[in-house]
Amino acid sequence: MNTPNEAAAVEVLDPERFLVAYKPYKAAIAELTQKYQGVQFDVETSKGLEAAKAARREILEPVYATEKLRKQLKAPALEFSRRIDGDAKEIDTALRKLADPIDAQIKAREAAIEAEKEAKRQAEIRRQEELTRKISGIRQTVAEAAGQPSTYIAQIISDLALWGTEVSLEIFGDRAGEAQLALDETRKRLADMKAQAEEREAEAARLEAERKIEAERLAAERAELERLRAEQAERDRIAREQREAEEKAAAQARAAEEAKLQAEREALAAERRAAEQRQAEAAARAKAEQEAAQRKLDEEREAFERQKREAAEAEQRRIQAEEEARARAALEEARQKREREEAERREREAELDRLHRAAPTMLDALWQWQRAERTGDEEELENARSARDAAIAAATQPEPATV
């Protein structure tokens, strides 16, 4: 069987012996680069496109040949590698099959030894934790005694006496010194705390006595203060009732005055509304009378025009009916007709002229009437009525004829 040193003497393949086959293709790189690098082919033409394809073919031929050569050169190496891995795997499997049972025995014993060590370590940990708990229990009595009365601390000291003056080596072993120190320190601390508690209790008793004396004094002062407060409260009540009665009377007086002022304000408002209503009614009446006068004027003008048309039509019919019978009297009749028509026209025109001349007087009378109602002046209101009647008479009565 070969040793590892002998296995190291196996011949190693020299890669340079195989890579020399690539040299012709490496040389072709420089030749093809010089020939084709940067060349632009006119691929728009069939001749240029064929030239580009030929160049590509020439460049890629070494690529294909190199790939074929690579596979040929690598095939023996791959076979050699597979054989090396297979033999090594066979050796490893056979030897591990012999070594595994021995390794299992070794690991089982090592695990048993480690378990025994761990059991001892855990037992020691538990023992130390128990000792620590006992020592801490001794020291914990100091915390339990904090703030407690002296009788309670005395009972704790009495309980510690059960330990004796010294701790047992059988119980504490290598930590007996630590336990003894904790016991001695705890007894000393408890004795000091008992003395301090007794001093506090004595001081507290003294302070309690003083507190009782002070409380009695304060109680007497509070009683006196309550009496004074009650007297002051009675005085305040009487003053408050007097003040409330005065305020109530003043409030009633103010309410009465406010009611009076409110009544006056309402009366003034009612009077103002009545005056505004009278003004509005007067304005409405004036407007109505003005509109009535205008309507009358329009009706009379329309009646005049209608009568004029009707008279003309009647006259036309009369002339046509009596033309032959009154041929000779036609001129005279026509003259008389014209005179009558002229007289009627002058009468109508005079009446219209009276209406037009009376309109401003009527409007002034209406405005005078409105002002009189707004101010409530009865004399001016009577004058306005007289002016209105005079304006109506002037508009409707004919003027005396002049000779």
Side-chain angles (χ1 to χ4, degrees), residues 97-301:
K97 186 176 181 181
L98 293 174
D100 285 346
I102 300 171
D103 181 67
Q105 296 175 37
I106 294 170
K107 288 181 177 178
R109 180 53 187 162
E110 288 176 348
I113 294 171
E114 185 62 30
E116 292 173 1
K117 289 181 180 179
E118 179 63 21
K120 290 179 181 180
R121 189 177 67 82
Q122 291 296 331
E124 180 61 19
I125 290 173
R126 287 191 296 272
R127 189 182 71 84
Q128 291 296 330
E129 288 176 350
E130 179 63 20
L131 294 176
T132 300
R133 186 186 63 77
K134 290 179 179 180
I135 295 171
S136 297
I138 295 172
R139 295 187 183 278
Q140 183 64 27
T141 55
V142 175
E144 294 175 0
Q148 298 296 333
S150 60
T151 54
Y152 185 85
I153 299 172
Q155 182 61 45
I156 294 176
I157 295 172
S158 176
D159 294 340
L160 284 177
L162 298 175
W163 289 88
T165 58
E166 295 183 359
V167 297
S168 172
L169 289 173
E170 295 178 358
I171 297 175
F172 290 96
D174 58 347
R175 297 184 67 181
E178 181 183 353
Q180 184 65 47
L181 178 61
L183 183 60
D184 294 341
E185 289 179 352
T186 299
R187 284 172 174 166
K188 184 178 183 306
R189 290 285 305 279
L190 290 173
D192 293 341
M193 293 173 69
K194 180 174 177 294
Q196 293 172 2
E198 290 173 347
E199 291 178 1
R200 287 196 304 271
E201 290 166 359
E203 179 66 16
R206 184 185 64 81
L207 293 175
E208 179 62 20
E210 292 179 354
R211 188 192 63 76
K212 288 182 179 179
I213 295 172
E214 181 65 16
E216 292 174 356
R217 184 185 65 79
L218 291 174
E221 290 180 355
R222 281 196 295 271
E224 179 62 18
L225 181 61
E226 289 298 327
R227 186 185 63 80
L228 294 175
R229 284 177 177 173
E231 293 177 355
Q232 183 62 40
E234 180 63 18
R235 288 193 294 271
D236 293 342
R237 184 188 65 78
I238 294 172
R240 184 175 60 255
E241 290 178 353
Q242 292 177 350
R243 186 172 59 255
E244 289 175 353
E246 293 173 356
E247 291 176 353
K248 182 178 181 181
Q252 291 175 348
R254 285 194 302 272
E257 182 65 21
E258 180 64 24
K260 180 180 177 183
L261 293 175
Q262 181 65 25
E264 293 177 356
R265 285 194 294 268
E266 291 176 356
L268 289 174
E271 184 177 350
R272 184 171 58 254
R273 287 193 299 271
E276 291 174 354
Q277 181 65 24
R278 289 193 300 272
Q279 293 173 5
E281 292 174 355
R285 285 194 300 272
K287 182 179 179 181
E289 291 178 357
Q290 184 179 3
E291 290 175 352
Q294 184 64 39
R295 283 195 302 274
K296 181 178 179 181
L297 183 62
D298 293 340
E299 290 172 356
E300 291 179 351
R301 184 184 297 110

Side-chain angles (χ1 to χ4, degrees), residues 25 28-29 32 36 52-68:
Y25 301 108
I29 294 174
L32 294 170
Y36 290 113
K53 291 180 178 179
R56 182 180 65 182
R57 211 166 33 246
E58 184 180 0
I59 294 170
L60 293 179
E61 279 179 358
V63 175
Y64 303 143
T66 301
E67 177 62 18
K68 183 178 180 180

Side-chain angles (χ1 to χ4, degrees), residues 359-378:
T361 305
M362 176 65 73
L363 182 60
D364 289 341
L366 292 174
W367 283 114
Q368 185 178 0
W369 192 351
Q370 185 180 20
R371 285 194 302 271
E373 287 188 340
R374 186 184 298 118
T375 58
D377 190 340
E378 293 297 333

Side-chain angles (χ1 to χ4, degrees), residues 1-149:
M1 179 179 179
N2 290 334
T3 64
N5 290 333
E6 291 173 342
V10 176
E11 181 182 1
V12 179
L13 294 176
D14 183 6
E16 294 299 330
R17 290 167 53 191
F18 298 92
L19 295 178
V20 70
Y22 285 128
K23 285 184 179 180
Y25 301 108
K26 291 182 178 180
I29 294 174
E31 181 182 349
L32 294 170
T33 300
Q34 183 178 4
K35 184 177 180 180
Y36 290 113
Q37 188 173 28
V39 175
Q40 297 291 326
F41 295 92
D42 187 8
V43 295
E44 298 295 330
T45 65
S46 58
K47 183 177 180 181
L49 182 60
E50 289 300 324
K53 291 180 178 179
R56 182 180 65 182
R57 211 166 33 246
E58 184 180 0
I59 294 170
L60 293 179
E61 279 179 358
V63 175
Y64 303 143
T66 301
E67 177 62 18
K68 183 178 180 180
L69 178 60
R70 182 188 69 80
K71 292 180 179 179
Q72 292 173 352
L73 293 175
K74 191 176 179 182
L78 291 174
E79 179 62 26
F80 182 63
S81 177
R82 284 194 294 270
R83 291 184 61 186
I84 292 173
D85 292 341
D87 290 350
K89 179 66 175 176
E90 183 180 351
I91 295 168
D92 180 88
T93 302
L95 293 178
R96 286 189 180 276
K97 186 176 181 181
L98 293 174
D100 285 346
I102 300 171
D103 181 67
Q105 296 175 37
I106 294 170
K107 288 181 177 178
R109 180 53 187 162
E110 288 176 348
I113 294 171
E114 185 62 30
E116 292 173 1
K117 289 181 180 179
E118 179 63 21
K120 290 179 181 180
R121 189 177 67 82
Q122 291 296 331
E124 180 61 19
I125 290 173
R126 287 191 296 272
R127 189 182 71 84
Q128 291 296 330
E129 288 176 350
E130 179 63 20
L131 294 176
T132 300
R133 186 186 63 77
K134 290 179 179 180
I135 295 171
S136 297
I138 295 172
R139 295 187 183 278
Q140 183 64 27
T141 55
V142 175
E144 294 175 0
Q148 298 296 333

Side-chain angles (χ1 to χ4, degrees), residues 318-342:
R318 185 182 62 79
I319 292 172
Q320 290 176 357
E322 299 177 354
E323 185 176 4
E324 293 179 359
R326 299 180 182 180
R328 289 176 295 181
L331 293 176
E332 180 63 22
E333 184 66 26
R335 183 183 63 78
Q336 293 177 359
K337 177 179 175 294
R338 284 195 300 272
E339 289 178 355
R340 288 195 301 273
E341 289 177 353
E342 181 64 21

